[in-house]
Amino acid sequence: MELHDVWFVLIAVLWTGYFFLEGFDFGVGILTRLLARDRPERRVLINTIGPVWDGNEVWLLTAGGATFAAFPEWYATLFSGFYLPLLVILVCLIVRGVAFEYRAKRPEENWQRNWETAIFWTSLVPAFLWGVAFGNIVHGVKIDRNFEYVGSVLDLLNPYALLGSLVTLTLFTFHGAVFTALKTVGDIRVRARKLALKVGLVAAVVALAFLLWTQAHSGDGKSLVALVVAVAALVAALVANQAGREGWSFALSGVTIVAAVAMLFLSLFPNVMPSTLEGDWSLTVTNASSSPYTLKIMTWCAAVATPLVLLYQGWTYWVFRKRIGTQHIADAAH
């Protein structure tokens, strides 16, 4: 296997890790309006992801940096062609981080309510737009002979990409609901399980339609296996949720995301951005990659740094593993 193939796999792993981890905290942010009935319950939801949300975003930064270094042509075409949706995602992530930090800085009700509203919208919008972005990456966009995107923003809002956006939105919300059930106690835990069932059924329908479309368009035997795993894991997650096995349900919803993202990258390879204008104008792991020397240096750096990142992030989740409820919120009456 060539180094550019290795780095395609590593970037796929980074995006998979990002969607697995950031997926549930996007889902929890969405649930601050769909599930929480009052401010103490919203505080419970926010506190479930408070220690980990910023660490989850490390995966996005690493995926973007790895793409820039390993596949500069891919990075250039992607970020110039998808400039507006990616800018909106970036602004949302910035505002979202500020909202988490500033929400409790002042006691006024309007102040806290406005930041809680910001958390909701800046969780929902990226969850939607990531589906648009990856739907277009996999399905293909208008790339010319110079490897430049020549379409418009409206071209990105095609039926396949919009279906993909519904998949990420519903799947992340389901992932967040089962995470909430896993991390909370009391009434909010029960209601999280009930909501997870409703959202999960919707996610199952749209995800099956999207993955079947992907398989028909560019799939092969390997992507078909990933499709079957994703669908089976989602069904099993719904069953585990109904049985009150929150740990199994969360793990299986995570497997669903991992298998679905793996299917997208398996369908994409060896392309990194297919051209819908001419097949020879597609960006591939070969024509979009950096020099072998650059990839070699990156590989050594990744071999040292990656285990350290995984260890400290795993330790963070272990430290903050206990359940919480409204009784753990100080001054809940206020």
Side-chain angles (χ1 to χ4, degrees):
M1 181 182 288
E2 300 290 337
L3 279 179
H4 50 67
D5 297 329
V6 171
W7 274 96
F8 179 86
V9 173
L10 291 177
I11 289 172
V13 170
L14 289 170
W15 280 111
T16 301
Y18 173 68
F19 287 137
F20 177 91
L21 296 172
E22 191 86 305
F24 73 74
D25 75 45
F26 280 150
V28 172
I30 294 169
L31 293 178
T32 58
R33 278 290 178 269
L34 299 184
L35 180 65
R37 291 174 174 172
D38 51 30
R39 177 145 298 120
E41 289 193 350
R42 283 194 288 276
R43 290 181 63 184
V44 168
L45 291 176
I46 292 171
N47 285 358
T48 62
I49 59 174
V52 299
W53 68 267
D54 47 355
N56 294 344
E57 292 187 354
V58 170
W59 291 78
L60 172 62
L61 299 175
T62 309
T67 303
F68 171 78
F71 299 99
E73 287 284 357
W74 184 12
Y75 182 93
T77 304
L78 174 64
F79 280 80
S80 60
F82 295 14
Y83 181 82
L84 184 58
L86 293 179
L87 176 63
V88 172
I89 290 174
L90 177 60
V91 171
C92 284
L93 294 181
I94 293 172
V95 173
R96 189 170 184 263
V98 172
F100 282 126
E101 299 296 335
Y102 275 56
R103 179 198 157 279
K105 296 298 184 182
R106 290 171 56 179
E108 290 88 345
E109 183 176 348
N110 286 342
W111 173 272
Q112 296 192 4
R113 183 174 61 249
N114 289 339
W115 285 121
E116 288 167 358
T117 302
I119 290 172
F120 169 75
W121 286 109
T122 55
S123 299
L124 186 147
V125 172
F128 181 88
L129 289 179
W130 279 127
V132 172
F134 271 82
N136 281 287
I137 290 173
V138 173
H139 202 255
V141 291
K142 296 179 180 178
I143 299 175
D144 66 11
R145 64 175 68 250
N146 298 316
F147 302 137
E148 294 180 359
Y149 177 69
V150 293
S152 66
V153 174
L154 293 179
D155 290 328
L156 301 178
L157 302 177
N158 55 76
Y160 178 82
L162 291 175
L163 181 60
S165 67
L166 292 178
V167 173
T168 52
L169 179 59
T170 57
L171 199 54
F172 289 172
T173 305
F174 171 70
H175 198 37
V178 294
F179 177 79
T180 300
L182 176 64
K183 287 289 291 179
T184 58
V185 294
D187 182 58
I188 193 171
R189 174 186 177 187
V190 176
R191 286 187 282 115
R193 286 208 305 262
K194 292 180 179 178
L195 183 60
L197 175 62
K198 297 176 183 178
V199 178
L201 291 174
V202 176
V205 173
V206 294
L208 180 60
F210 178 75
L211 295 178
L212 287 175
W213 191 342
T214 304
Q215 179 66 25
H217 178 262
S218 54
D220 56 14
K222 294 178 181 179
S223 62
L224 180 60
V225 172
L227 185 157
V228 172
V229 171
V231 174
L234 183 52
V235 172
L238 288 168
V239 173
N241 176 72
Q242 282 300 97
R245 303 297 297 272
E246 291 100 344
W248 279 105
S249 183
F250 177 71
L252 289 165
S253 68
V255 171
T256 302
I257 292 175
V258 170
V261 177
M263 181 191 176
L264 295 182
F265 278 96
L266 287 169
S267 301
L268 185 62
F269 186 82
N271 294 320
V272 293
M273 281 189 77
S275 173
T276 57
L277 299 178
E278 173 61 48
D280 292 338
W281 298 346
S282 297
L283 288 168
T284 68
V285 293
T286 303
N287 63 26
S289 68
S290 295
S291 67
Y293 182 70
T294 300
L295 296 177
K296 184 177 180 180
I297 294 176
M298 291 175 61
T299 303
W300 281 108
C301 292
V304 174
T306 301
L308 297 177
V309 173
L310 293 176
L311 282 173
Y312 81 68
Q313 192 163 22
W315 177 79
T316 301
Y317 278 92
W318 174 255
V319 169
F320 296 99
R321 66 189 182 279
K322 293 184 178 180
R323 296 177 183 267
I324 62 172
T326 53
Q327 67 270 29
H328 301 116
I329 302 297
D331 298 324
H334 302 290

